[in-house]
Each structure stands twice: as structure tokens, then as C-alpha cells.
């Protein structure tokens, strides 16, 4: 029987090394505290647990829920802009192509309205407009007319502001898809 007692005592001897001793030590210290100290430690532990819960779980969720409406509004605006651009692209694709000769004629007529401050050079399906002292309003009108009348798009632009509101430089244009057909 002594051998059996020795075997049953071995696990009990290993228990403090595993962690049972730490728990026993804490239980003994807790029991040694006055009731007021136990109450204060319990309150401190509850406050600490509440803080950790707030910092880890509640505060991030609260911040996300307060930011969500502004982010949704921003995403809605982006969606509307993208839908408008998609609609414009669809409209532009549906525009009937202009024959190359007619496109060149429309671009020449638009350039003549700029007077001596612009010179147009036609080279097949491409064109180069050289500008000297053209106002921003004139340039904007010419670009709109080139896009609508000749179905031309700017492929390269080199512009300098010669003086306030006046631009000099060059624009390279390509005629729209199907313009050569």
C-alpha cells in the first residue's frame, strides 16, 4: 500500500509547478484582505474590464457608425459621377462618324474663326493647330466645335499662357473613330 500512496502523492507534488500553487497563493492573499480591500479590488477589476471592453470592442464600432453616413454620401457622389461619365461615353460612342473630308472642312472653318492668331495644318487623319495669343474663351469654343463638328479629339497639347487669359502653343488632334471611312 505504501507504493500506492507514493503514486497518488506524485501528482499532488507536481501540481504547484503546473500552476496550482499560484492559484493557491492568490486565494490565500485574497482571503487575507479586509472586506473593504476586496471590494475596492473588485471595483478596480470591473473598471479595468469595462475600459478594455470599450477600447477593444465598443469604441471602434462607435467610430465606424458615426463615420458611415459621410462615407456613404461620398460614395454616392462618386457613383453619380461615374454613372454620368458612363452615360457621356455611351452617348459619344453612339454619335455617327463624320467622313474625313467633312471633318477636315469643319475643323478648317472653326480655325478660320480664330483669325490670324491660329494656323491649322491637316495631315491625313491628324491635324495640328498652332496658336498665338488666343483667349481662353476662344480656345474653349474652338475645342467644343472641333469635338462636335469634326469629331476630333486632342491627343497632345502644349500651351503656354502668353499673358493673362491669352494662350500660345499647339494642339495635336486626331479625327474620331470612323473618321477616315
Amino acid at each position: 500500500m505504501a507504493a500506492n500512496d507514493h503514486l497518488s502523492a506524485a501528482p499532488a507534488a507536481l501540481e504547484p509547478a503546473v500552476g496550482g500553487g499560484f492559484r493557491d497563493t492568490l486565494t490565500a492573499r485574497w482571503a487575507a484582505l479586509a472586506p473593504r480591500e476586496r471590494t475596492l479590488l473588485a471595483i478596480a477589476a470591473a473598471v479595468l474590464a469595462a475600459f478594455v471592453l470599450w477600447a477593444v470592442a465598443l469604441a471602434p464600432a462607435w467610430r465606424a457608425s458615426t463615420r458611415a453616413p459621410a462615407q456613404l454620401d461620398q460614395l454616392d457622389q462618386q457613383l453619380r459621377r461615374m454613372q454620368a461619365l458612363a452615360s457621356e461615353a455611351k452617348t459619344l460612342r453612339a454619335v455617327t462618324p463624320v467622313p474625313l473630308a467633312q471633318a477636315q472642312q469643319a475643323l478648317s472653318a472653326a480655325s478660320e474663326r480664330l483669325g490670324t492668331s491660329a494656323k491649322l495644318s491637316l495631315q491625313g487623319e491628324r491635324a495640328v493647330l498652332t496658336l498665338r495669343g488666343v483667349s481662353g474663351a476662344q480656345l474653349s469654343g474652338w475645342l467644343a466645335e472641333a469635338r462636335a463638328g469634326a469629331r476630333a479629339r486632342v491627343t497632345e497639347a502644349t500651351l503656354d499662357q502668353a499673358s493673362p487669359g491669352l494662350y500660345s502653343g499647339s494642339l495635336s488632334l486626331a479625327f474620331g473613330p470612323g473618321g477616315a471611312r
Side-chain angles (χ1 to χ4, degrees):
M1 285 231 170
N4 287 342
D5 290 337
H6 178 67
L7 290 176
S8 62
L14 293 176
E15 191 174 292
V18 173
F22 181 71
R23 186 176 24 174
D24 291 341
T25 304
L26 282 179
T27 304
R29 284 190 182 182
W30 182 260
L33 293 175
R36 182 177 176 174
E37 291 173 335
R38 281 190 230 157
T39 303
L40 289 175
L41 280 176
I43 290 171
V47 168
L48 182 63
F51 172 74
V52 169
L53 177 67
W54 173 260
V56 172
L58 299 176
W62 184 273
R63 279 192 301 269
S65 68
T66 57
R67 292 180 188 160
Q71 289 176 337
L72 286 175
D73 289 342
Q74 183 181 16
L75 291 172
D76 284 342
Q77 288 175 355
Q78 287 178 355
L79 176 63
R80 285 191 293 276
R81 276 194 305 253
M82 289 174 56
Q83 288 172 335
L85 289 173
S87 175
E88 182 182 355
K90 186 176 181 181
T91 302
L92 289 173
R93 272 191 232 108
V95 173
T96 57
V98 176
L100 181 60
Q102 185 179 347
Q104 289 174 338
Q105 184 180 16
L107 203 56
S108 295
S111 300
E112 287 174 7
R113 285 191 268 288
L114 293 176
T116 58
S117 58
K119 180 185 173 208
L120 181 68
S121 172
L122 297 171
Q123 303 155 356
E125 292 184 19
R126 303 183 85 51
V128 176
L129 180 71
T130 307
L131 306 167
R132 280 187 326 268
V134 174
S135 74
Q138 286 177 310
L139 181 58
S140 176
W142 184 88
L143 285 168
E145 195 171 340
R147 182 71 185 149
R151 308 289 194 273
R153 64 188 182 289
V154 177
T155 57
E156 185 178 339
T158 307
L159 294 173
D160 295 315
Q161 192 170 12
S163 61
L166 297 178
Y167 297 92
S168 295
S170 66
L171 298 173
S172 297
L173 298 106
F175 293 103
R181 291 180 194 138

